[in-house]
Amino acid sequence: MSLSAAVLTVAPLAKSLGEQTKENSWINIAIFLAFVAVTMIVVFRASRNNNTAADYYAAGRSFSGGQNGTAIAGDYLSAASFLGITGAIAVNGYDGFLYSIGFLVAWLVALLLVAELLRNTGKFTMADVLSFRLKQRPVRIAAATTTLVVCFFYLLAQMAGAGGLVSLLLGLDNTNKVGQNIVIAVVGVLMIVYVLIGGMKGTTWVQIIKAFLLIIGAAIMTIIVLAMHGFNLSTLMDAAVNTSILEGGAGEALLNPGAAYGKAPLDFVSLALALVLGTAALPHVLMRFYTVPTAKEARKSVVWAIWLIGGFYIFTLVLGYGAGALIGKEAILAAPGGVNAAAPLLAFVIGGPVLLGFISAVAFATILAVVAGLTITAAASFAHDIYSNVIVKGDPKPEMEVKVARRTVIVIGVVAIGGGILANGQNIAFLVALAFAIAASANLPTIVFSLFWKKFTTQGALWSMYGGLGAAIVLITFSPMVSGGPTSMIPGADFSWFPLANPGIISIPLAFFLGWLGTVLDKGTEDPRIQAEMEVRSLTGVGAEKAVDH
Amino acid sequence: MGNSTHASAAGPVDFVAEQNSEEFQKLRKSHRNFVFPVAIGFLVWYFAYVLLAAYAHDFMSIKVWGNFNVGLILGLLQFVTTFGITTWYVTYANRKLDPQAAVIRERLEKQIDSANKTKEEV
């Protein structure tokens, strides 16, 4: 009885939650400005030694495993994970939790198969590894293309999220598109400044600070929510079920699978495949492994990342059910920001405007840090892979490559702002899942084959990368997410024939198959000496890029 | 050859001979014998869980303790196995892989260094 009484006292409050949060939006803005000020100082200090390419792209390879692991967590725990998963659990219960498991287990692929070998054989980008023993130009162009496409979709998701969040966090109305677009532009400009000045070192520090704040914030909220329910997860789930029953919602079913994917189980399997195989093929994650001095530190980075990310996802389980119990599905969906509003609203209910301000500012910082990481990855890929190795054929004038990278940063920033404004209001989780599916299809087969399969050839790599990329994009275009459904990107039109929202289950196996087929049908062979060199280097670290001394 | 940038980095080493050496083959075996079975194992376990969550709703909804049903327990076990495999691999790599890799690396680096020195003297 006491539980339902507690829910009843909260319920009328929840109705006006959206209104109440607006009154204190100056606190959100103040805390966010403080974050920007502190990180700017750090970025300026970090920018002193940003002359060479190794400094600019790889932070002089001087971060420790613990620092890099924290930065990886900061990079990986994007707004989609924090706001998206908390909201998904609050609204869909158990099915929201499924997301976080795929995101976490995926790190084992990176730990066991990719991180150390990549660190030992590459220099700055994913293409360094893929083109190591194959023909440089075509493979680099293909790898740079897939890198840019994955970064673009991921960037779009983050920027679109920035616009959606604003309505809740800064007290702008959901319909105030001009206000939202101004915020998207501000995020874009700040990101350009960070990356332009700070390079990888500055970006990494922004991510470390953000990861720290995010994990602390989530931990505080988790402890408060658990304390309100006698430190018993089962009691908390009871409360979520009760709130749901009072609303006339799913009730008990909240704890069981099926709320989100019950009608489309194959869709979920496809998504799960993309999540678990996509992480170790995300270019901005791979690039982080070059910021440490040795393969051993790369291993430590992943270990740190796994513990931080895993711990964080356990927090989101508590926060999701907490938001379901204390606010309720209806109130969350009615608030500006919808599903994404669950975490900020929960912060307001349990900690008042100050905790809301803190969590909101962290959510903003999250977008900023992730966007900065994506931008430096895309810029490095263009400058290092396309400019230096293809346009000037491996003979760039000194300093020119970094100059090109910096100019690319500005171009990407402008594209991100424009794309973010156009994509404003799109489903963030869908766009992120898309980036994972494309990465898993276009990149992972070639990464695995070139590290572990002696006979792999250039033709196999090209077929796999272009085939995987093309298949993923074609299937997405003709999926119900783009046309033909009630929530499609292009309302009114219907040219869909692919039934699933995520292409992974077709495009990932296809890309592996094409990699094999292209190789066995290839008339040419690759130089066995370079294959030998790559294998010996990948396992022993001979000749691996060293840390820069200053 | 487009690959010359890499090949020239460690010119004096005969990597094909090195690759075929007993020492390196042993390291390669130690690495693959661990990472391949473990990778297949955790992927099978993950997809078993995914398929159960997608198709076996009744089974996943069986209550085991309080509000903890089979689905939640299996989900949390995914966390446990992920943490467990991480720790297991790190212990294995520190004990079995790193020492073997270090011996080969130091030998090859000495070879490269001395070759560079003779080049400078000439």
Side-chain angles (χ1 to χ4, degrees), chain A residues 163-183:
Chain A
L165 276 181
V166 175
S167 39
L168 177 77
L169 309 183
L170 296 188
L172 297 171
D173 278 319
N174 227 352
T175 47
N176 186 347
K177 290 287 176 214
V178 179
Q180 295 190 359
N181 291 344
I182 290 172
V183 176

Side-chain angles (χ1 to χ4, degrees), chain A residues 94 116 234 252 255 299 540, chain B residues 49 63 67 71 89 98 105:
Chain A
Y94 187 82
E116 295 170 45
S234 187
E252 275 288 309
L255 308 180
R299 180 193 307 152
T540 61
Chain B
Y49 167 77
K63 292 243 164 115
N67 277 317
Y89 171 69
D98 287 352
R105 184 175 60 241

Side-chain angles (χ1 to χ4, degrees), chain B residues 33-61:
Chain B
N33 282 352
F34 187 93
V35 299
F36 286 169
V38 174
I40 291 167
F42 85 76
L43 284 174
V44 167
W45 158 228
Y46 171 72
F47 281 107
Y49 167 77
V50 164
L51 291 174
L52 284 174
Y55 294 101
H57 293 176
D58 291 338
F59 171 69
M60 296 297 255
S61 307

Side-chain angles (χ1 to χ4, degrees), chain A residues 145-513:
Chain A
T145 308
T146 63
T147 297
L148 292 174
V149 172
V150 172
C151 286
F152 176 73
F153 275 103
Y154 215 107
L155 202 57
L156 215 55
Q158 304 299 325
M159 297 300 276
L165 276 181
V166 175
S167 39
L168 177 77
L169 309 183
L170 296 188
L172 297 171
D173 278 319
N174 227 352
T175 47
N176 186 347
K177 290 287 176 214
V178 179
Q180 295 190 359
N181 291 344
I182 290 172
V183 176
I184 291 179
V186 169
V187 169
V189 170
L190 275 175
M191 172 272 283
I192 293 174
V193 174
Y194 280 138
V195 179
L196 217 50
I197 298 170
M200 187 52 121
K201 209 177 272 173
T203 304
T204 305
W205 279 114
V206 172
Q207 287 167 342
I208 291 174
I209 295 170
K210 175 237 133 168
F212 184 74
L213 293 175
L214 179 63
I215 291 169
I216 295 282
I220 292 172
M221 286 175 67
T222 303
I223 292 168
I224 297 176
V225 169
L226 281 178
M228 290 167 85
H229 297 89
F231 288 99
N232 185 337
L233 190 58
S234 187
T235 315
L236 171 64
M237 289 190 284
D238 251 336
V241 168
N242 280 335
T243 307
S244 177
I245 290 171
L246 281 177
E247 291 180 331
E252 275 288 309
L254 206 58
L255 308 180
N256 304 332
Y261 302 104
K263 291 198 185 90
L266 198 60
D267 235 337
F268 169 63
V269 175
S270 187
L271 174 72
L273 191 65
L275 295 185
V276 80
L277 297 180
T279 299
L282 289 173
H284 66 287
V285 166
L286 297 179
M287 198 167 160
R288 294 229 50 91
F289 296 128
Y290 298 124
T291 65
V292 291
T294 60
K296 196 171 170 133
E297 292 296 319
R299 180 193 307 152
K300 274 189 199 155
S301 314
V302 188
V303 173
W304 271 81
I306 286 177
W307 283 100
L308 291 173
I309 292 167
F312 183 81
Y313 285 148
I314 300 220
F315 294 159
T316 60
L317 181 67
V318 174
L319 297 181
Y321 279 126
L326 296 170
I327 303 161
K329 179 177 175 176
E330 300 303 322
I332 292 169
L333 291 180
V339 179
N340 290 329
L345 287 180
L346 180 66
F348 184 70
V349 170
I350 63 177
V354 174
L355 191 56
L356 170 71
F358 181 72
I359 291 300
S360 306
V362 168
F364 258 121
T366 288
I367 292 177
L368 206 55
V370 176
V371 164
L374 288 162
T375 304
I376 193 152
T377 305
S381 181
F382 181 79
H384 180 65
D385 298 327
I386 303 282
Y387 173 78
S388 284
N389 283 295
V390 175
I391 296 178
V392 293
K393 294 178 185 161
D395 189 26
K397 289 194 193 84
E399 314 300 327
M400 236 352 243
E401 189 178 306
V402 173
K403 228 178 241 175
V404 170
R406 287 198 154 111
R407 281 175 204 161
T408 316
V409 167
I410 297 176
V411 174
I412 293 167
V414 172
V415 171
I417 293 171
I421 289 172
L422 286 177
N424 189 357
Q426 296 290 341
N427 182 337
I428 309 176
F430 163 68
L431 288 171
V432 169
L434 226 56
F436 274 77
I438 297 174
S441 316
N443 297 340
L444 191 74
T446 306
I447 294 172
V448 170
F449 282 144
S450 64
L451 289 173
F452 295 103
W453 189 24
K454 205 169 179 173
K455 291 190 185 130
F456 192 52
T457 69
T458 301
Q459 180 172 296
L462 296 178
W463 285 20
S464 175
M465 279 193 278
Y466 286 125
L469 178 70
I473 288 183
V474 167
L475 293 179
I476 291 160
T477 310
F478 295 103
S479 78
M481 297 307 286
V482 172
S483 76
T487 53
S488 299
M489 267 175 180
I490 310 169
D494 184 3
F495 46 83
S496 67
W497 47 261
F498 183 66
L500 303 179
N502 195 295
I505 200 164
I506 305 284
S507 60
I508 298 168
L510 179 74
F512 272 104
F513 172 75

Side-chain angles (χ1 to χ4, degrees), chain A residues 94-95 97-98 100-109 111-113 116-117 121 128 131-136 140 232-235 237-239 241 252 255-259 261-263 265-266 268-269 271-273 275-277 296 299 302-303 306-311 313-314 317 321 389 394 451-454 526-537 539-544 546, chain B residues 1-11 13-20 24-25 27-29 31-32 34-40 42-43 45-47 49-63 65-76 78-87 89-95 97-98 100-102 104-109 112:
Chain A
Y94 187 82
D95 277 16
F97 182 50
L98 293 171
S100 52
I101 293 171
F103 279 135
L104 177 69
V105 173
W107 279 98
L108 288 178
V109 181
L111 176 72
L112 295 176
L113 301 176
E116 295 170 45
L117 309 181
T121 46
D128 285 338
S131 65
F132 193 107
R133 64 188 175 93
L134 305 175
K135 290 192 181 61
Q136 286 276 315
R140 258 191 207 280
N232 185 337
L233 190 58
S234 187
T235 315
M237 289 190 284
D238 251 336
V241 168
E252 275 288 309
L255 308 180
N256 304 332
Y261 302 104
K263 291 198 185 90
L266 198 60
F268 169 63
V269 175
L271 174 72
L273 191 65
L275 295 185
V276 80
L277 297 180
K296 196 171 170 133
R299 180 193 307 152
V302 188
V303 173
I306 286 177
W307 283 100
L308 291 173
I309 292 167
Y313 285 148
I314 300 220
L317 181 67
Y321 279 126
N389 283 295
L451 289 173
F452 295 103
W453 189 24
K454 205 169 179 173
E526 307 299 331
D527 188 341
R529 282 173 306 168
I530 306 176
Q531 193 279 329
E533 181 182 346
M534 182 172 181
E535 188 168 77
V536 172
R537 277 181 59 168
L539 284 177
T540 61
V542 173
K546 298 275 191 302
Chain B
M1 228 5 235
N3 291 313
S4 56
T5 45
H6 294 297
S8 64
V13 178
D14 181 354
F15 277 107
V16 177
E18 193 55 48
Q19 187 185 32
N20 292 325
F24 181 76
Q25 285 300 319
L27 167 65
R28 184 176 185 265
K29 220 172 155 187
H31 182 252
R32 294 193 173 203
F34 187 93
V35 299
F36 286 169
V38 174
I40 291 167
F42 85 76
L43 284 174
W45 158 228
Y46 171 72
F47 281 107
Y49 167 77
V50 164
L51 291 174
L52 284 174
Y55 294 101
H57 293 176
D58 291 338
F59 171 69
M60 296 297 255
S61 307
I62 297 170
K63 292 243 164 115
W65 174 75
N67 277 317
F68 285 75
N69 56 21
V70 175
L72 186 65
I73 290 169
L74 289 183
L76 291 174
Q78 291 281 340
F79 280 73
V80 173
T81 50
T82 302
F83 293 145
I85 289 172
T86 305
T87 311
Y89 171 69
V90 169
T91 319
Y92 180 82
N94 286 341
R95 282 219 329 260
L97 301 179
D98 287 352
Q100 289 187 57
I104 301 175
R105 184 175 60 241
E106 276 155 25
R107 179 163 48 75
L108 293 183
E109 275 172 355
I112 295 166

